[in-house]
Amino acid sequence: MNLTKYIESHRDAHLNELLEFLRIPSVSTKSEHKPDIERAAKWVAEKLRGAGMDTVEIVPTKMHPLVYGESLEAPGKPTVLFYGHYDVQPPEPLDLWTSPAFEPTVRNGNLYARGTADDKGQVHIHLKALESLRQAEGKLPINVKVMIEGEEEVGSESLWGFVTENKQRLKADALVVSDTSMLGRGVPSITYGLRGLNYYQIGVTGPAQDLHSGVFGGAVPNPITILCELFAKLHDKNFRVNIPGFYDDVATLSRAERKALNSLPWKEKEFRKTVGAPELCGEKGYSIVERVWCRPTLELNGIWGGYTGEGSKTVIPSKAYAKFSTRLVPNQDPQKIARLVEKHIRSLLPKTVKMKFEVLSTGKPWVAPFTHPIFKTAQQALEQGFGKKAVFIREGGSIPFVTQMYDTFKVPCVLMGFGLPDENAHAPDEHIALENYFGGIKSIAHFYEGLAKLEAAA
Ligand code: BES
Ligand code: MN
Ligand code: MN
């Protein structure tokens, strides 16, 4: 059967199978979901076998298994390594979901469930593209290696060990990832830049134990006040990060790139609508897309301490905590930034408190040229899938693995994302537009087919 016909005639079957995948609550951060993680890994392995991969392995790791598969039956043809993740973020807060997070539901042309956009839906696009190629053509037109991990949302700790132990085996002409977004509805996109991410936690201790605020208030340090003062000092009036050296290594955007990024069909109105705040804010001198794709930031992610229950409790807490992160851009070095952040924060804290400073994870930014012929193939494939020309974008999110692969293997990394920025990844009512799910299957099938016409690297 012809490829397009096969894909068209299997829409229902593909979608129903995705629903099965989404019903598995493969939340990587919670140990109670360990059996679900195992189940999801098995499910992926089974579908890879179904798609005709010759070798499929569930590789145990210290934490969650990764699934690896290969089909190497196209000698002389290019080899791609596809990477994705089957783990998802926790669904909480549950009461804000219109339909339950692990009971996938279609509404208004969108499929709602945790993992639809990030990243099970996008992984499934590739599984079904491979299956369709195999069914329509009898064999895959290129060599494919597939690596789908279960720890992406908790920092991919085991992944790099597996990659370095299997460097030879994982060799490929290109890395292919679908774990990003399109610029907007109807705008197929290829992402050539991501921000890096350092994640921190600090704990500040004042009094040795909680104190009665009437008996002691006025004569003792309050760690919550001190944290508030601290964080208030970390940005200036122009929304620049107020940490000495923070911007020292930031690469300036070329005029050509600024022009290209600012003339994309990006809609400020939609962005504002998605944000939903009364007004936007951000670093002076930069457009909104520059702020979220190309500029480093410091964000508070959570702050807690003292009494937060019902009613009142007059207390001066002993401790206060905060989680915060810095998004990084080329050529900032995560280790150097972590040192600068810690040094500056220590210098701002008064002698009245002690602080524990932890760096929970680090990840490098990534930007790469898209001149390799594979990007033309990708662009053409997206045009076949969506009937529109694909644009090249950068994004503000982080996939530290892409940088590691790019630095280690020096291969082109092709990021074709099928999510949309307003699809609530990591939030309640996460969804994927069905047109993008189906358009994705078509695009990826055509992409792999198109690659067969490209020359494999020697
Ligand atoms: N798929 C996202 C990364 C992403 C989101 C890229 C939006 C481009 C646009 C990934 O699953 C993710 O959530 N990454 C985390 C960092 C990771 C180390 C936990 C992020 O960006 O916060
Ligand atoms: Mn993801
Ligand atoms: Mn994610």
Side-chain angles (χ1 to χ4, degrees):
M1 198 195 285
N2 157 297
L3 178 63
T4 313
K5 271 214 187 103
Y6 181 89
I7 295 174
E8 284 300 329
S9 61
H10 283 74
R11 284 168 68 106
D12 289 349
H14 290 165
L15 181 59
N16 284 327
E17 192 184 282
L18 173 57
L19 302 188
E20 266 179 41
F21 192 16
L22 294 167
R23 284 189 193 110
I24 308 173
S26 47
V27 180
S28 46
T29 190
K30 295 204 192 138
S31 47
E32 70 202 71
H33 285 295
K34 188 74 189 165
D36 302 313
I37 283 279
E38 304 281 342
R39 207 145 53 87
K42 279 205 187 103
W43 192 94
V44 170
E46 191 189 302
K47 297 308 162 203
L48 280 175
R49 284 189 199 102
M53 300 271 118
D54 316 313
T55 330
V56 178
E57 288 168 37
I58 297 179
V59 184
T61 71
K62 272 202 196 124
M63 209 194 296
H64 301 324
L66 72 87
V67 186
Y68 181 74
E70 294 179 333
S71 168
L72 306 176
E73 51 185 16
K77 298 292 180 188
T79 303
V80 301
L81 174 64
F82 168 67
Y83 161 81
H85 61 96
Y86 68 78
D87 66 320
V88 297
Q89 288 274 330
E92 287 81 9
L94 297 179
D95 53 320
L96 293 185
W97 285 79
T98 308
S99 49
F102 297 106
E103 293 173 28
T105 309
V106 175
R107 284 193 300 277
N108 296 326
N110 295 318
L111 175 61
Y112 287 82
R114 172 59 85 232
T116 41
D118 186 11
D119 182 34
K120 285 164 148 179
Q122 301 209 52
V123 164
H124 199 249
I125 284 172
H126 283 259
L127 298 178
K128 293 304 104 177
L130 290 170
E131 179 203 282
S132 303
L133 279 165
R134 160 87 55 181
Q135 292 298 331
E137 289 166 14
K139 75 192 256 313
L140 294 182
I142 55 165
N143 303 298
V144 180
K145 301 176 179 178
V146 178
M147 189 169 71
I148 299 168
E149 69 155 320
E151 297 178 9
E152 197 276 343
E153 299 291 7
V154 287
S156 305
E157 248 174 75
S158 310
L159 183 65
W160 200 240
F162 175 77
V163 173
T164 46
E165 277 160 34
N166 294 277
K167 249 178 134 171
Q168 217 36 47
R169 191 174 182 199
L170 295 174
K171 251 187 103 183
D173 298 298
L175 175 72
V176 176
V177 180
S178 290
D179 191 21
T180 49
S181 303
M182 296 163 54
L183 183 68
R185 218 162 255 282
V187 190
S189 313
I190 300 169
T191 300
Y192 70 91
L194 295 164
R195 290 194 286 191
L197 177 72
N198 275 3
Y199 205 99
Y200 316 86
Q201 178 167 328
I202 60 175
V204 170
T205 307
Q209 69 282 309
D210 286 3
L211 300 171
H212 189 295
S213 66
V215 179
F216 295 94
V220 299
N222 183 319
I224 299 182
T225 312
I226 287 166
L227 266 197
C228 293
E229 280 167 356
L230 166 72
F231 283 111
K233 286 181 190 139
L234 295 186
H235 289 93
D236 70 12
K237 282 195 193 65
N238 293 324
F239 289 94
R240 281 174 66 87
V241 178
N242 223 349
I243 295 177
F246 188 76
Y247 291 95
D248 281 4
D249 301 323
V250 172
T252 20
L253 285 174
S254 73
R255 277 175 66 174
E257 188 176 13
R258 268 190 121 160
K259 195 168 159 222
L261 293 179
N262 288 310
S263 35
L264 286 166
W266 177 84
K267 299 211 179 82
E268 179 166 339
K269 220 175 124 192
E270 276 177 26
F271 183 88
R272 286 179 182 274
K273 196 173 147 215
T274 306
V275 173
E279 250 315 326
L280 300 178
C281 64
E283 191 185 354
K284 206 177 158 187
Y286 295 90
S287 70
I288 299 173
V289 295
E290 289 167 358
R291 285 172 186 167
V292 296
W293 294 350
C294 312
R295 298 295 297 169
T297 61
L298 182 148
E299 300 287 350
L300 261 166
N301 304 111
I303 182 160
W304 71 102
Y307 183 70
T308 56
E310 203 180 332
S312 59
K313 179 187 183 198
T314 46
V315 65
I316 295 172
S318 162
K319 292 172 190 294
Y321 302 88
K323 288 182 186 284
F324 65 103
S325 53
T326 47
R327 292 280 167 181
L328 307 175
V329 300
N331 299 310
Q332 287 177 302
D333 169 47
Q335 265 71 34
K336 182 176 167 190
I337 293 295
R339 283 195 299 274
L340 292 176
V341 170
E342 175 168 6
K343 188 172 168 216
H344 187 60
I345 286 182
R346 287 206 182 278
S347 80
L348 289 178
L349 282 179
K351 287 201 192 71
T352 50
V353 291
K354 284 203 269 306
M355 175 181 68
K356 183 175 177 195
F357 184 98
E358 290 172 277
V359 180
L360 301 185
S361 69
T362 65
K364 283 166 86 178
W366 173 73
V367 173
F370 44 90
T371 44
H372 190 283
I374 194 170
F375 291 100
K376 261 260 140 355
T377 312
Q379 216 176 5
Q380 284 160 354
L382 286 166
E383 193 163 346
Q384 281 174 285
F386 288 86
K388 283 244 185 74
K389 192 161 172 147
V391 296
F392 287 90
I393 64 172
R394 285 169 67 161
E395 284 188 90
S398 308
I399 314 176
F401 173 67
V402 170
T403 324
Q404 290 175 316
M405 288 299 288
Y406 186 74
D407 290 351
T408 311
F409 289 88
K410 312 262 185 303
V411 291
C413 301
V414 188
L415 275 57
M416 290 191 262
F418 301 105
L420 286 170
D422 65 354
E423 287 182 335
N424 293 359
H426 294 200
D429 280 352
E430 179 181 349
H431 57 282
I432 191 166
L434 288 176
E435 62 181 278
N436 295 340
Y437 168 70
F438 292 121
I441 296 177
K442 253 193 234 172
S443 304
I444 297 300
H446 286 303
F447 177 54
Y448 288 158
E449 205 174 41
L451 285 182
K453 290 171 206 137
L454 271 190
E455 258 173 63

